[in-house]
Amino acid sequence: MSTSERVDPRSAAAFDAWYDVYRAAMDDGREYAVTWTREELRVAVLEESPYWTKELWAVRDDAGELAGAMVIELPMKDNTTVISPRIGVRADVRRRGYGSVLARTAADRAAQYGRTVVQSQLDVPLAAEHLAERPGEAAATAGQAFLEANGLEPANFEVHRILELPLAEAFLETLAAEAAEHHQGYQLVSWQDRCPDEFVDAYAALQSIFALEAPQGELEKEAESWDAARLRAVEEQSLAQGRHGWITVTVAADGTLAGNTELYVGEHAPGKAFQWSTLVSPPHRGHRLGLALKVRNHRELQRSHSEPLVVHTWNGEQNTAMNAVNAKLGFRPVEQSQEWQRRIAPAALISDRL
Ligand SMILES: CC(C)(COP(=O)(O)OP(=O)(O)OC[C@H]1O[C@@H](n2cnc3c(N)ncnc32)[C@H](O)[C@@H]1OP(=O)(O)O)[C@@H](O)C(=O)NCCC(=O)NCCS
């Protein structure tokens, strides 16, 4: 059986060949797949970053062609017990052990970096019959069987929802008016791409608590460590990836940053928009700020993007407040985004499993 090889993303040919296998496997059977585009991922893996490390690995078939591809992500400033591999194998060579070869490499890298928690994301389409009656339920897939065989267990479930844009201006106006009665005293402020200097520290602080405030199920996760430098680094990387952000925040009467929401549109992902974090910090909840933030941000986006776009968002099923806001806007479920996890006892770090 073949062994894995490290892929050097600085070689355009090597990266492109790796990406073709990875992308086909990630998109397989998924009508609503939103795998990072070639250029977005290329920028992300080429960047030397103090915040995260990304490694690319591949395995070849007997003919010397790439059979499987893996990307490993390692947070470097927080959550430093975690390693996140994503493995994909060419559809015509599955069940021949190529996925397992890459899984063993992930286990080796975990040992190398001293990581004790393996987390892997898996996107599973919601079958039509489930959509009608049991929207939380997803079909059984090869990915689930594979992760189970590698000792991982499901730890968190999110629902991937979509919404067709543009939304009617009158509809947004009605929602904005409905929310406005409840959030007098709070101001909404919007910008594109670059956070104004006056908010940069407070915005980084909001990002730090986001990972803990959004429901995470059984996932082992600690607060992320954000500061102004990290926020600027992410903004710069997004622009290098051709991604443009529309951000709206809400400011309380005392000047505190009370919440935020982000929509991104990528030059390399035409027709799509992404709803990233939305957060209202705990002391400011109950004023319909979640709805107000999103409605304002959609209006801002639509001022420059009036063409049809499909916006994608992910939320925990238990996140009732956010799901209620999304339902009002008209989002509908299309996939379950599952996060699987395995804890490795430090003594067992050298193991033949993920
Ligand atoms: C999941 C995936 C990577 C597996 O790759 P693979 O090369 O076929 O995996 P392996 O041959 O090493 O399988 C290892 C074990 O996983 C389990 N497994 C894998 N695919 C399975 C399937 N379709 N049905 C049942 N069990 C399966 C089995 O226990 C298998 O051992 P066995 O063949 O001896 O019974 C591949 O199906 C794929 O690319 N799927 C799309 C992307 C994806 O879902 N990735 C997982 C997220 S990390």
Side-chain angles (χ1 to χ4, degrees):
M1 175 48 77
S2 35
T3 51
S4 331
E5 61 192 49
R6 183 89 181 257
V7 176
D8 181 356
R10 288 168 303 180
S11 155
F15 176 81
D16 285 342
W18 175 92
Y19 183 83
D20 289 342
V21 172
Y22 177 75
R23 176 72 184 258
M26 290 302 134
D27 288 4
D28 193 14
R30 295 174 56 207
E31 187 180 353
Y32 295 100
V34 282
T35 310
W36 282 23
T37 66
R38 188 182 302 271
E39 292 315 317
E40 290 168 337
L41 195 52
R42 194 195 307 273
V43 167
V45 293
L46 280 175
E47 189 195 35
E48 292 284 332
S49 166
Y51 305 109
W52 52 79
T53 293
K54 288 184 165 60
E55 293 184 357
L56 305 184
W57 291 84
V59 60
R60 290 183 189 274
D61 63 18
D62 296 341
E65 299 297 325
L66 289 195
M70 170 170 72
V71 56
I72 293 178
E73 290 185 33
L74 301 127
M76 302 308 279
K77 288 284 191 209
D78 50 60
N79 292 284
T80 53
T81 56
V82 175
I83 179 166
S84 302
R86 266 194 114 160
I87 296 173
V89 169
R90 246 172 48 212
D92 60 314
V93 292
R94 290 189 185 157
R95 292 307 281 279
R96 297 189 198 170
Y98 293 118
S100 302
V101 170
L102 290 168
R104 277 194 287 277
T105 299
D108 289 345
R109 301 311 283 162
Q112 195 87 31
Y113 284 100
R115 305 279 162 138
T116 51
V117 183
V118 181
Q119 293 176 348
S120 267
Q121 199 202 322
L122 183 68
D123 301 292
V124 183
L126 293 173
E129 66 269 24
H130 293 144
L131 274 177
E133 291 159 28
R134 290 165 291 172
E137 215 165 297
T141 65
Q144 287 166 289
F146 174 75
L147 292 174
E148 242 165 47
N150 279 284
L152 282 82
E153 293 175 345
N156 193 33
F157 296 103
E158 295 202 335
V159 179
H160 171 189
R161 291 183 168 81
I162 61 161
L163 171 69
E164 276 90 13
L165 303 183
L167 297 170
E169 191 51 38
F171 170 63
L172 289 172
E173 175 65 50
T174 306
L175 290 180
E178 180 188 318
E181 294 170 24
H182 300 267
H183 61 78
Q184 286 154 17
Y186 287 88
Q187 228 193 313
L188 294 171
V189 180
S190 300
W191 65 78
Q192 277 174 44
D193 294 334
R194 193 172 194 281
C195 179
D197 288 339
E198 60 179 301
F199 292 125
V200 73
D201 292 324
Y203 201 80
L206 267 190
Q207 297 286 70
S208 298
I209 62 166
F210 178 73
L212 293 190
E213 288 298 334
Q216 300 289 340
E218 301 298 313
L219 270 189
E220 222 162 273
K221 208 155 233 184
E222 62 178 28
E224 292 182 0
S225 160
W226 284 79
D227 57 13
R230 180 164 173 177
L231 190 69
R232 292 295 184 220
V234 169
E235 288 174 343
E236 276 162 33
Q237 191 191 70
S238 289
L239 288 174
Q241 290 173 306
R243 291 176 174 170
H244 295 280
W246 277 258
I247 291 98
T248 295
V249 296
T250 179
V251 184
D254 66 359
T256 312
L257 204 57
N260 76 306
T261 192
E262 301 180 342
L263 281 165
Y264 276 80
V265 172
E267 289 164 19
H268 301 293
K272 298 190 178 99
F274 295 90
Q275 170 67 63
W276 287 355
S277 70
T278 299
L279 177 69
V280 175
S281 70
H284 299 283
R285 291 186 184 157
H287 300 283
R288 308 243 173 127
L289 288 168
L291 180 63
L293 282 162
K294 284 198 164 182
V295 167
R296 159 69 89 92
N297 212 31
H298 274 284
R299 294 175 101 174
E300 290 293 322
L301 174 71
Q302 287 185 190
R303 288 202 318 194
S304 40
H305 283 277
S306 55
E307 77 276 18
L309 290 172
V310 176
V311 59
H312 298 256
T313 194
W314 291 262
N315 291 106
E317 291 173 68
Q318 64 279 54
N319 193 344
T320 44
M322 200 72 268
N323 289 331
V325 168
N326 288 338
K328 254 190 197 313
L329 287 165
F331 277 93
R332 63 189 166 89
V334 292
E335 286 190 323
Q336 193 177 62
S337 177
Q338 308 181 342
E339 291 189 87
W340 291 62
Q341 176 169 271
R342 175 173 181 236
R343 293 186 181 87
I344 313 170
L349 262 180
I350 308 293
S351 120
D352 63 351
R353 298 202 305 180
L354 256 185

